[in-house]
Amino acid sequence: MLDNFDFDVIRRSLPYLFYEGMTFTLTLTALAALGGLIFGTAIALMRLSGYKLLGRIAGLYVDFMRSLPLVLVIFWFYFLVPYIGQWLTGSPRPIKVGAFASSLITFIMFEAAYFSEIMRAGIQSISRGQPAAANALGLTYAQTMRYVVLPQAFRNMLPVLLTQTIVLFQDTSLVYVLSIPDFLGAASKVAQRDGRLVEMYLFAAVVYFTISCIASFGVRRLQSRIAIIR
Amino acid sequence: MIEISHVNKWYSPTFQVLTDCTTSVTKGEVVVVCGPSGSGKSTLIKCVNALEPFQSGEITVDGTKVHDPKTNLPKLRSRVGMVFQHFELFPHLKIIDNLCLAQEKVLGRQHDKAQTKGMQLLERVGLKEQAQKFPAQLSGGQQQRVAIARALAMDPIVMLFDEPTSALDPEMVSEVLDVMVDLAREGMTMMVVTHEMGFARKVANRVIFMDRGEIVEDAPKDDFFGKPRSDRAQKFLSKILSH
């Protein structure tokens, strides 16, 4: 039965798949995780700030983002942002936003909602005595967050943040709706071109599975190491 | 040094934790605050450096009004040392970095100057060898001594202690109290919430007894231990001194 399959197509397209596809996927994952973490932390701080309006805005944002399918957000964002840009800058034509920039901004915004909930749980896991001690030493609110609360919250939540990043790594494949050659997009292009759908999609699945599995294993090891230190 | 006058605090409209508290701590004085649990003594001491807000009354520290919205609270707090019941060392920082953080970020000291100061204070509390360890590697008594050193590193004008020995195993209480006694004998102004009546006997100038959010008794040490005026204070003393 396997006679009908041509697995050599994989070998032939490897450079394209990895140099272009996987590089794009990993870059998008890393930048989106970093941006999502920074914005997510800001949103978490807004929610916990004690200012009702600020907290409410942040809460609405998180609920809004989490109530939409990611594919839809990617799609909408790609087609809407040029027009929003046009409206904002008042230029006669829709602003050109590259597919990479557009998808990166989408993922940062989307992931920020999820990372913010993780960071919020992390910040709330720090006992109230810690910020009290920092304040008693004369540290300002910002310094207390920067030097005492956030480093601990980040450390406590590191395994969860990394697990979420693995999910993000898989989710980046959704940029195929913008026909961007990420890893899955590249595999799919080759598959269509050479009519080798089964081989290429199977290979893509194996690659995603292997990377995610190894990463999960790494997170588990890290978790147990952290557990010993504490 | 510390003036507390007519301070009232409510947690909710029906639950008053502090009722018309008025007292003071003068420079060089050691004042022990005692009373049954839930009497508001911890809350009162936390009002002094504004870790707890209060609704009416006034507290001034070295002439600065704590309750005034215009007061630069971080600046005021940096001059008031505080030691907590549960130590509250920063677990992600080494012992020496625990001592340096506020020196550098709040007082703007150079790193090496802060380190030198930190090491001196660690030596003073007998923990110089532990400088490179993390708080979780130290015993409770050692952690509390580090916490005292951390507060002293800011060159405070007054030290507040909020039940510094209540969370310690019995055999570790004395090592912390020894440090506090030394501090008191050197003339540090101290306000100490504690049940350690031995400590109060040894170094306190005055003892304040609180019950149900009120200051029931505020007397020189000898008067307090000799013959407390109120029944409630007598009852409290007989309970904790009978063993």
Side-chain angles (χ1 to χ4, degrees):
Chain A
M1 172 198 155
L2 283 171
D3 292 352
N4 294 332
F5 292 133
D6 169 24
F7 286 100
D8 195 52
V9 66
I10 295 167
R11 191 191 57 74
R12 275 181 275 127
S13 55
L14 272 184
Y16 173 62
L17 285 178
F18 279 91
Y19 282 129
E20 293 212 10
M22 194 44 91
T23 307
F24 181 94
T25 296
L26 289 178
T27 314
L28 183 60
T29 305
L31 291 179
L34 190 68
L37 183 63
I38 293 169
F39 276 98
T41 304
I43 293 167
L45 288 177
M46 277 169 76
R47 285 195 92 165
L48 297 171
S49 66
Y51 295 104
K52 280 226 171 74
L53 183 68
L54 223 53
R56 190 121 185 80
I57 293 170
L60 276 175
Y61 176 82
V62 171
D63 289 343
F64 181 70
M65 277 297 172
R66 297 209 300 184
S67 318
L68 290 173
L70 178 52
V71 171
L72 204 63
V73 181
I74 294 170
F75 211 59
W76 269 103
F77 210 76
Y78 184 60
F79 291 108
L80 270 187
V81 161
Y83 292 99
I84 295 173
Q86 180 189 18
W87 177 67
L88 281 178
T89 57
S91 81
R93 228 159 273 147
I95 301 288
K96 251 197 172 163
V97 182
F100 179 73
S102 166
S103 50
L104 178 60
I105 295 170
T106 311
F107 273 103
I108 289 177
M109 283 174 52
F110 202 81
E111 287 306 312
Y114 286 88
F115 279 125
S116 83
E117 288 297 276
I118 297 171
M119 283 310 282
R120 188 163 73 120
I123 293 168
Q124 282 175 328
S125 73
I126 311 293
S127 80
R128 282 183 57 200
Q130 286 286 308
N135 287 336
L137 284 164
L139 293 171
T140 61
Y141 174 81
Q143 288 174 325
T144 300
M145 284 296 159
R146 160 86 180 72
Y147 298 112
V148 176
V149 175
L150 287 181
Q152 292 184 57
F154 184 72
R155 237 165 261 222
N156 291 352
M157 288 295 126
L158 193 59
V160 191
L161 290 169
L162 289 174
T163 304
Q164 178 66 26
T165 305
I166 296 172
V167 175
L168 168 65
F169 166 71
Q170 293 160 9
D171 282 353
T172 54
S173 61
L174 289 174
V175 295
Y176 85 91
V177 294
L178 306 182
S179 45
I180 294 175
D182 73 318
F183 183 73
L184 183 63
S188 144
K189 259 186 196 167
V190 174
Q192 316 261 348
R193 186 193 63 193
D194 296 357
R196 292 290 169 194
L197 299 175
V198 178
E199 294 89 331
M200 291 313 289
Y201 284 129
L202 198 63
F203 178 64
V206 168
V207 170
Y208 275 108
F209 178 81
T210 312
I211 293 180
S212 300
C213 247
I214 292 173
S216 296
F217 178 71
V219 171
R220 258 203 304 282
R221 280 201 50 171
L222 182 81
Q223 210 163 7
S224 57
R225 262 190 55 194
I226 290 176
I228 292 169
I229 296 167
R230 299 186 96 232
Chain B
M1 188 64 75
I2 301 174
E3 294 287 340
I4 300 171
S5 68
H6 306 293
V7 166
N8 287 287
K9 177 179 170 68
W10 289 266
Y11 275 137
S12 70
T14 50
F15 181 36
Q16 189 163 11
V17 264
L18 295 177
T19 309
D20 199 32
C21 293
T22 300
T23 186
S24 65
V25 181
T26 58
K27 193 170 183 327
E29 205 176 20
V30 176
V31 174
V32 163
V33 184
C34 62
S37 59
S39 60
K41 48 199 192 313
S42 282
T43 310
L44 181 67
I45 203 169
K46 280 179 182 156
C47 285
V48 172
N49 63 354
L51 285 182
E52 290 271 2
F54 49 93
Q55 281 76 32
S56 76
E58 197 173 272
I59 298 180
T60 62
V61 176
D62 197 30
T64 311
K65 283 184 189 141
V66 171
H67 198 40
D68 191 341
K70 275 177 289 197
T71 298
N72 183 345
L73 272 183
K75 192 164 177 221
L76 176 71
R77 285 169 176 155
S78 72
R79 304 171 66 209
V80 179
M82 180 142 196
V83 175
F84 295 82
Q85 184 177 0
H86 296 288
F87 332 136
E88 303 301 351
L89 296 179
F90 305 134
H92 60 300
L93 298 178
K94 284 179 186 162
I95 297 302
I96 184 68
D97 296 329
N98 262 277
L99 270 75
C100 288
L101 179 68
Q103 286 191 69
E104 290 171 31
K105 303 303 172 195
V106 178
L107 303 179
R109 279 188 190 142
Q110 298 287 328
H111 182 65
D112 48 340
K113 284 209 179 115
Q115 285 240 327
T116 314
K117 175 105 190 167
M119 288 309 287
Q120 277 171 1
L121 284 164
L122 282 180
E123 188 163 15
R124 174 176 169 171
V125 298
L127 294 169
K128 209 172 117 193
E129 289 72 31
Q130 321 289 339
Q132 298 304 323
K133 290 191 181 165
F134 283 93
Q137 294 169 289
L138 269 57
S139 72
Q142 290 174 323
Q143 287 192 48
Q144 194 62 298
R145 279 144 68 198
V146 172
I148 296 173
R150 180 175 70 176
L152 290 175
M154 303 296 284
D155 295 321
I157 52 171
V158 53
M159 288 281 285
L160 309 175
F161 292 83
D162 182 13
E163 305 207 28
T165 56
S166 315
L168 294 174
D169 290 338
E171 76 268 23
M172 293 172 183
V173 170
S174 68
E175 64 185 62
V176 171
L177 288 180
D178 285 347
V179 172
M180 290 169 61
V181 167
D182 284 347
L183 207 54
R185 295 213 164 121
E186 283 165 30
M188 175 60 81
T189 312
M190 291 161 70
M191 186 167 174
V192 186
V193 173
T194 186
H195 291 132
E196 298 293 336
M197 289 303 126
F199 171 80
R201 278 219 164 102
K202 216 185 250 177
V203 293
N205 299 104
R206 270 174 36 235
V207 178
I208 292 171
F209 174 75
M210 288 183 75
D211 193 17
R212 289 177 218 149
E214 285 174 80
I215 293 180
V216 178
E217 191 128 355
D218 183 349
K221 168 185 60 175
D222 294 331
D223 294 0
F224 182 79
F225 287 115
K227 198 177 184 317
R229 278 163 293 176
S230 65
D231 289 349
R232 279 190 275 180
Q234 274 176 18
K235 227 185 230 166
F236 176 74
L237 274 182
S238 71
K239 262 185 204 152
I240 62 168
L241 294 179
S242 62
H243 302 290

